[in-house]
Amino acid sequence: TLIKKFYSLPITIKLEPETFSNTNENINSETSYQTKTKRWLLGLKVDSNFKDKVFNFYLYPKYTKFDFENTLSASKSSQEMMSWIVNTTIKPSKKAFFVDVGFRQVQFSGNVNSYFKDINLKVSGKHKKIRWFLLASNISNDNEFIMQNIHPNYFASNTSFVFGRFFKFGFEYRFN
């Protein structure tokens, strides 16, 4: 991981390159074979820390590629994933009102193709002893999400269903 902090402009940038290769010897009944998994990952995190400013953000694009092969067949397979996470916090007034906007997108291609996006919005505030919030979650109403597990000997892809669009309102009162 390479990290660079900028002090005149309070932003931290992290470059996360990673590679991984795994080979396993397997015995199945009387046959011996190898399985190979290779992974490449490149992520970039950009995080702001503006003090006493109206706006802060977090950005995290990430690309991952997996290659799979075994000595039982000549075929190779690969899986790619591109994801984006963007979060922003907006404070129009000092500690009394906040707006948080979040966006996440994940796209798989290769063995399994899938596209998922999630947009969230939270507005919260405080007035004297009352704190309140309004949350809109999964505004894009994407309900299907692919979860993938990469193991040395196999690749598992599961389709999961997440909550659809929903809204939530709450408040809290402090007696002190």
Side-chain angles (χ1 to χ4, degrees):
T1 301
L2 305 168
I3 300 173
K4 175 65 178 164
K5 289 187 178 188
F6 298 92
Y7 296 101
S8 58
L9 181 65
I11 292 178
T12 302
I13 297 176
K14 294 180 184 176
L15 182 64
E16 300 179 331
E18 184 179 310
T19 185
F20 171 79
S21 181
N22 184 42
T23 303
N24 285 332
E25 286 289 332
N26 304 284
I27 299 175
N28 185 4
S29 298
E30 298 175 8
T31 306
S32 174
Y33 65 97
Q34 285 185 341
T35 56
K36 294 181 182 180
T37 304
K38 295 178 184 175
R39 179 185 73 185
W40 295 270
L41 180 142
L42 182 59
L44 177 69
K45 293 181 180 177
V46 181
D47 196 6
S48 72
N49 188 20
F50 302 123
K51 295 182 190 227
D52 300 321
K53 298 293 181 189
V54 173
F55 180 79
N56 272 298
F57 67 90
Y58 173 74
L59 171 67
Y60 184 32
K62 180 173 71 169
Y63 171 78
T64 309
K65 182 178 182 189
F66 294 94
D67 284 332
F68 309 98
E69 61 182 288
N70 66 61
T71 55
L72 293 175
S73 70
S75 66
K76 294 181 182 180
S77 62
S78 65
Q79 184 69 41
E80 295 182 68
M81 180 188 82
M82 183 67 199
S83 67
W84 286 87
I85 297 174
V86 179
N87 289 317
T88 61
T89 302
I90 303 166
K91 300 182 220 175
S93 62
K94 301 275 185 182
K95 297 185 182 179
F97 183 72
F98 297 94
V99 177
D100 293 312
V101 179
F103 172 77
R104 178 175 66 148
Q105 175 186 322
V106 180
Q107 184 172 354
F108 292 107
S109 61
N111 293 336
V112 176
N113 293 314
S114 173
Y115 179 79
F116 177 81
K117 66 182 174 304
D118 184 17
I119 302 168
N120 298 301
L121 173 67
K122 181 179 180 182
V123 179
S124 59
K126 182 180 176 183
H127 180 69
K128 296 183 183 179
K129 292 185 176 185
I130 298 175
R131 181 178 301 274
W132 59 271
F133 70 89
L134 175 63
L135 172 68
S137 187
N138 195 4
I139 294 170
S140 60
N141 205 29
D142 276 2
N143 296 20
E144 192 174 298
F145 185 73
I146 302 289
M147 303 231 6
Q148 297 184 335
N149 295 309
I150 311 298
H151 300 277
N153 297 328
Y154 66 94
F155 164 81
S157 180
N158 301 312
T159 301
S160 301
F161 294 95
V162 297
F163 286 114
R165 179 183 311 121
F166 69 91
F167 300 92
K168 187 174 167 182
F169 175 74
F171 67 94
E172 118 185 356
Y173 178 80
R174 295 201 180 242
F175 292 99
N176 301 1

